[in-house]
Amino acid sequence: MFVFRHKGYEGTSVQELVEATGVGRGSLYAAFGSKDGLYQAVLDRYRERYALPLVDLLRGGTPARELIREILVDLVEAILRDGREQTCLIVGAATERLCHDPEVAVRVGATTSLLEDELTEAITAARNRGEPAGTRDPRDSARFLMTVIHGLRVTGAINPDRRYLMSVVEAALGCLD
């Protein structure tokens, strides 16, 4: 996962994958069939490791605005910690592989849709509890927040400045006021 996040799909050689996994080339091909097969498995693992814990958080009943702020601030911290060493695999897959790899398109779409659905549910539930959660349609707010999440990753790679990134977080939270 680290190699693909660091170098992208095209920039990663099979030899680098062999070295990163400690598995022989033949075993790698036997287990995954191809570099594409390994990449798809990595996308699935990325979903398990990063998206599903967010789903659990969003379903936890914490006030939506507070939780979304926490998620965005944690993302800024990850961007500042990782620098340019580890980009978002979903953003990388979307920009590098989506238009010519239908399997990648399915995986990226499923992960993004899942998070959008959960954000929509969290915003709707917050409103039903009487919490401030904005006046926009919850689905529209969730779509906007997903765009902010992906955009923070890209912007953070260009300009990894805490003050700059936090200004984006605070502006995004405005959709929940």
Side-chain angles (χ1 to χ4, degrees), residues 67-86:
L67 179 59
I68 292 167
R69 183 178 197 292
E70 179 184 326
I71 289 168
L72 294 176
V73 169
D74 286 350
L75 177 58
V76 168
E77 293 303 323
I79 290 166
L80 296 173
R81 181 184 60 248
D82 298 341
R84 294 183 178 106
E85 292 298 311
Q86 292 192 59

Side-chain angles (χ1 to χ4, degrees), residues 5-164:
R5 287 181 72 188
H6 180 64
K7 299 187 95 177
Y9 178 86
E10 294 298 331
T12 300
S13 70
V14 173
Q15 184 57 40
E16 288 169 316
L17 295 171
V18 166
E19 290 168 8
T21 61
V23 175
R25 185 179 299 259
S27 297
L28 201 65
Y29 280 104
F32 299 102
S34 64
K35 179 180 168 184
D36 286 336
L38 176 58
Y39 190 69
Q40 291 167 20
V42 167
L43 284 170
D44 292 342
R45 178 69 179 121
Y46 190 84
R47 175 186 170 111
E48 291 170 11
R49 187 170 180 185
Y50 295 101
L52 296 183
L54 285 180
V55 167
D56 290 341
L57 284 173
L58 289 165
R59 291 179 179 172
T62 301
R65 190 177 196 290
E66 176 184 322
L67 179 59
I68 292 167
R69 183 178 197 292
E70 179 184 326
I71 289 168
L72 294 176
V73 169
D74 286 350
L75 177 58
V76 168
E77 293 303 323
I79 290 166
L80 296 173
R81 181 184 60 248
D82 298 341
R84 294 183 178 106
E85 292 298 311
Q86 292 192 59
T87 62
C88 175
L89 194 61
I90 296 298
V91 171
T95 57
E96 187 179 22
R97 305 281 307 154
L98 201 74
C99 49
H100 54 82
D101 188 330
E103 291 297 323
V104 169
V106 166
R107 284 173 167 80
V108 168
T111 298
T112 301
S113 293
L114 171 67
L115 292 174
E116 180 187 310
D117 289 346
E118 293 301 328
L119 281 165
T120 300
E121 290 300 317
I123 294 167
T124 300
R127 285 188 185 169
N128 291 340
R129 290 189 303 262
E131 297 170 21
T135 58
R136 287 179 171 73
D137 176 85
R139 175 69 62 183
D140 292 344
S141 294
R143 287 177 177 154
F144 173 72
L145 290 167
M146 285 303 302
T147 301
V148 168
I149 288 168
H150 294 313
L152 277 169
R153 276 293 190 178
V154 173
T155 301
I158 296 166
N159 183 11
D161 177 75
R162 180 182 309 280
R163 182 175 292 159
Y164 183 93

